[in-house]
Amino acid sequence: MQQKTSEAAARARPATNWAGNVTYRAARLHRPTSTAELQDVVARSERVKVLGSRHCFNDIADTTGDLVVLDGLGSDVEIDGSPGADGGTAWIPAGMPYSQLVPDLAARGYGLPNLASLPHITVAGATATGTHGSGNRNGSLSTSVVGMDLVRSDGGTVTLTPGDPDFPGAVVHLGALGVVTRIGLRFQPTFQVRTNVYVGLTWDRLVTDFQAVTDAAYSVSVFTDWQEVTQVWVKSRTDELGNAAQENTAPEEFFGARAATVPTHMLTNTPVENLTEQLGVPGEWHERLPHFRTGFTPSNGNELQTEYFVPRRYVREVCDALRSLGPRIAPLLQVSELRTVAADDLWLSPAYGADVLALHFTWFRDETRVRALLPEIEAALRPYGARPHWGKVFTADADELERLYPRIPDFRALVRRFDPRGAFRNDFLDRTVAAFG
């Protein structure tokens, strides 16, 4: 019987992450259907990690022990109290993907202030890694977190809220503190957004007027191949547009760029059917803030991703540095995206203490050549304090990361208190945060 059970577990475990560049080594995969069952799995496991949507591009969720998937812990969204004009709190099973959550909230008349470009990722995975959307005044998805229920390595549970001194260190936790089972997200009244795409923006105009460009709408994304600016996606809240919203019009010119007249993909020669609607057609927040529609798989996963965050004041310097590497970057690059994220106080957030510019790279899936190039990119960005996205491909080690994230020593102390036996440690944490002993 034990042999049959082991064989079934081996067949059930996922072989790779979404991109196919990480092969999971876990001996067993568990899908608990209750918190009590999850507590038992965690308490008995020597090493355990949680697997979300598998959209991380490194080994952050890998382990040689047990993997846990949380999609069996229910799907009920609980609204805390009677929300007023300023919104309220929704308590969400941590394994729920945004694609399942946001239509539920919208149907109740609620909205989240920000969303990532992909709606398919889980709430737990996105908030644990500081994942973000875009907007000068918008914090990352992690800044919407106002509560967490967590199973510690001894099987016990704890609830954290903003009044707890550990809370700023626990939100972006990289899976190092325990298994988050439920998350409280701050919401607000629903709102509508419209997307307009512009082409032909020059580099000089972008870096000279960067603050104005990114402040021109609720959310702005700039796409580039590091030779030219290829597109600008301008996502405006209709309640901030005045008469223009009533007329359903948008300027034909945007800082010298011209409005696209047909739906436009950020990748050339790529069908637009999986993109959220453009051309200024208003829609609910959850149908416009992501780049990709919920009902479509955005691609087949045949890609790698890297992202770095630098203080926004360095936009000209970092763009010049990356453009100088353009000939080295271009053969491996599908597209880059520039976005902004507002500062926060979460210890391991890439936006900790500073408004940041996010420099995103979607690569062809050639990991050997990409990893060979990343040290050059990181060296070019090092003078500007570039912090890597925790869930993507990078080469910075623990010593450099500690210089970039000043609260890492405090985070290590937090990990020792929450997980004294090291059940949630793995190679990724040893390589990037290190020195837990």
Side-chain angles (χ1 to χ4, degrees):
M1 177 65 73
Q2 181 61 44
Q3 179 65 26
K4 290 182 179 179
T5 301
S6 298
E7 289 174 357
R11 288 196 300 269
R13 67 185 183 187
T16 68
N17 64 341
W18 181 79
N21 69 308
V22 174
T23 299
Y24 296 111
R25 300 172 296 158
R28 293 162 296 276
L29 176 70
H30 304 268
R31 281 190 168 88
T33 57
S34 69
T35 300
E37 185 181 347
L38 171 64
Q39 290 174 271
D40 182 63
V41 170
V42 171
R44 288 188 293 105
S45 180
E46 181 179 357
R47 289 290 173 92
V48 59
K49 300 299 291 184
V50 177
L51 196 63
S53 63
R54 298 182 291 138
H55 202 265
C56 284
F57 294 82
N58 57 40
D59 56 346
I60 191 171
D62 191 30
T63 181
T64 55
D66 295 273
L67 280 174
V68 176
V69 177
L70 302 179
D71 56 8
L73 294 185
S75 57
D76 293 335
V77 176
E78 300 176 19
I79 302 302
D80 190 3
S82 300
D86 295 330
T89 300
W91 285 94
I92 296 147
M96 179 179 285
Y98 281 92
S99 58
Q100 182 179 349
L101 167 64
V102 294
D104 184 308
L105 290 180
R108 303 181 195 218
Y110 308 143
L112 297 176
N114 210 353
L115 289 173
S117 58
L118 295 180
H120 307 75
I121 56 179
T122 61
V123 176
T127 55
T129 54
T131 297
H132 60 96
S134 184
N136 280 1
R137 301 181 303 278
N138 300 329
S140 71
L141 307 187
S142 308
T143 61
S144 291
V145 176
V146 291
M148 301 166 57
D149 291 346
L150 184 144
V151 175
R152 295 167 48 139
S153 61
D154 61 1
T157 62
V158 62
T159 297
L160 297 174
T161 62
D164 299 309
D166 294 332
F167 188 77
V171 175
V172 182
H173 56 81
L174 314 184
L177 301 181
V179 179
V180 176
T181 60
R182 198 172 69 130
I183 295 179
L185 294 183
R186 182 183 65 254
F187 63 80
Q188 61 190 49
T190 189
F191 56 96
Q192 288 203 329
V193 175
R194 71 183 198 189
T195 302
N196 293 92
V197 176
Y198 294 87
V199 296
L201 182 66
T202 66
W203 272 113
D204 183 65
R205 191 71 182 271
L206 173 64
V207 298
T208 299
D209 295 328
F210 187 78
Q211 179 66 31
V213 168
T214 54
D215 208 32
Y218 188 74
S219 172
V220 175
S221 291
V222 178
F223 292 94
T224 178
D225 58 7
W226 295 111
Q227 298 176 72
E228 61 182 0
V229 178
T230 54
Q231 298 171 23
V232 184
W233 290 31
V234 179
K235 301 186 179 187
S236 305
R237 285 184 59 146
T238 59
D239 57 1
E240 297 175 349
L241 288 173
N243 292 334
Q246 300 299 322
E247 298 170 2
N248 196 27
T249 60
E252 294 184 2
E253 186 266 351
F254 182 82
F255 295 89
R258 65 188 184 277
T261 57
V262 295
T264 306
H265 205 289
M266 68 282 289
L267 297 176
T268 57
N269 301 318
T270 303
V272 299
E273 287 78 9
N274 62 350
L275 298 178
T276 50
E277 195 157 1
Q278 303 174 13
L279 301 180
V281 178
E284 289 289 315
W285 56 279
H286 68 289
E287 297 174 337
R288 296 294 183 273
L289 290 180
H291 296 336
F292 298 95
R293 295 178 189 264
T294 297
F296 288 78
T297 301
S299 74
N300 61 11
N302 193 26
E303 64 188 54
L304 298 174
Q305 293 183 14
T306 295
E307 191 163 26
Y308 301 99
F309 301 78
V310 298
R312 226 176 280 172
R313 63 183 180 274
Y314 293 129
V315 59
R316 182 179 290 276
E317 291 88 344
V318 298
C319 286
D320 286 347
L322 291 172
R323 289 178 69 196
S324 71
L325 290 174
R328 300 274 290 121
I329 292 172
L332 299 175
L333 185 70
Q334 295 191 45
V335 72
S336 272
E337 183 178 6
L338 280 62
R339 290 170 287 182
T340 56
V341 187
D344 60 55
D345 65 350
L346 306 176
W347 295 357
L348 294 192
S349 166
Y352 176 80
D355 295 333
V356 293
L357 166 66
L359 304 156
H360 175 91
F361 301 81
T362 297
W363 307 105
F364 293 107
R365 206 184 76 182
D366 187 340
E367 188 157 12
T368 299
R369 294 175 66 197
V370 168
R371 285 193 175 275
L373 177 62
L374 290 184
E376 294 184 51
I377 293 176
E378 291 175 7
L381 298 179
R382 187 168 293 120
Y384 313 108
R387 295 167 173 168
H389 189 299
W390 294 106
K392 301 184 180 181
V393 182
F394 61 92
T395 66
D397 61 15
D399 289 340
E400 181 162 3
L401 290 168
E402 186 168 335
R403 291 192 293 271
L404 297 169
Y405 290 89
R407 300 301 296 269
I408 277 185
D410 298 317
F411 182 73
R412 285 199 291 262
L414 187 64
V415 171
R416 288 193 290 269
R417 285 198 289 112
F418 272 68
D419 181 23
R421 68 183 183 90
F424 301 109
R425 284 180 58 177
N426 66 355
D427 292 348
F428 174 88
L429 290 171
D430 290 344
R431 189 173 65 247
T432 59
V433 183
F436 289 105

